Amino acid sequence: MVITILVADDHALLRQGIKNALELEPDFRVIGEAGDGEETIEKVRKLKPDVLLLDINMPRLNGLEVARRLGDSGHTKIVILTIHDDDSYVVEVIRSGASGYLLKDVEPRMLVQAIRCVHGGDSFIYPTLAKRLFNQMRGQEIRRAESVKIADLPSEERLTGREKEVLYYTCQGLSNLAIAQKLFLSEKTVKNHLTNIFRKINVTDRTQAVLYALKHKIVELPGD
């Protein structure tokens, strides 16, 4: 199965470098590039890529606004690829509907991992930002949207010990494979645990599960 990708950045040289790196993967195909926000929206709607790699600082329309406008498009998953090592941007990216957040100095293997994760329906946040995101969100009121009402959610006490462990590592930004290795489980078992977690706390994806865990303090990360 081929994963189609659109690269949106206002620096042509960077776009070309990303394209060259991604096309080393046999199942990746870069089907388009865009140099500004308006062009990005037009090409996403025309080409319908599986994954959009999107910079925040874009002319005509910034990346966050692009993500908001494309948030309901359904098919295309959005990964922010930016220089901004800033907690507030991560929060805004999550709220805008993007599924991933990476820094531009990321190693190619992590970029590939992130693309595979979001294409598979998961979320991916640059690991070094995960704990800072946890602290940023703790104690704040998170305005949860459209599909989730906090008051209606069941108690976190309904999660099993193993499910809490899986959620703990999910909050740290680990992929299903990495969680499986940490807990000596199969990747399929981790996916099954996540499915149960989503059902029990009434969310639909990893991002919403992390936000729920942050608000309700289900897990404690080292150093907290």
Side-chain angles (χ1 to χ4, degrees), residues 80-85 101-106 126 128-129:
I80 298 293
L81 188 61
T82 180
I83 61 171
H84 294 292
D85 183 9
Y101 191 102
L102 293 170
L103 301 182
K104 285 186 176 180
D105 63 357
V106 66
Y126 196 82
T128 58
L129 293 174

Side-chain angles (χ1 to χ4, degrees), residues 126-140:
Y126 196 82
T128 58
L129 293 174
K131 183 171 183 293
R132 284 166 44 192
L133 173 62
F134 187 96
N135 291 331
Q136 169 78 10
M137 300 297 288
R138 170 174 289 173
Q140 295 182 3

Side-chain angles (χ1 to χ4, degrees), residues 37-108:
E38 294 287 357
E39 183 185 14
T40 300
I41 291 175
E42 291 172 6
K43 288 197 171 180
V44 167
R45 289 173 176 168
K46 178 181 179 181
L47 300 175
K48 295 180 173 56
D50 296 318
V51 177
L52 167 64
L53 292 183
L54 177 63
D55 188 18
I56 288 179
N57 292 335
M58 299 271 282
R60 296 178 69 192
L61 204 64
N62 70 48
L64 292 177
E65 184 58 31
V66 170
R68 292 187 191 102
R69 295 193 187 187
L70 293 174
D72 297 328
S73 60
H75 177 75
T76 300
K77 307 293 186 181
I78 301 173
V79 176
I80 298 293
L81 188 61
T82 180
I83 61 171
H84 294 292
D85 183 9
D86 188 317
D87 303 337
S88 62
Y89 276 113
V90 182
V91 175
E92 288 304 313
V93 163
I94 292 172
R95 288 174 175 164
S96 72
S99 299
Y101 191 102
L102 293 170
L103 301 182
K104 285 186 176 180
D105 63 357
V106 66
E107 294 182 5

Side-chain angles (χ1 to χ4, degrees), residues 2 26 31 42 46 57-58 65 77 98 115 118 140 143-144 166 170 177 188 190 207-208 215:
V2 174
I31 60 173
E42 291 172 6
K46 178 181 179 181
N57 292 335
M58 299 271 282
E65 184 58 31
K77 307 293 186 181
I115 290 172
V118 301
Q140 295 182 3
R143 291 188 180 179
R144 296 295 300 285
V166 171
T170 301
L177 178 59
K188 181 178 179 181
V190 171
T207 300
Q208 290 185 350
K215 181 175 178 61

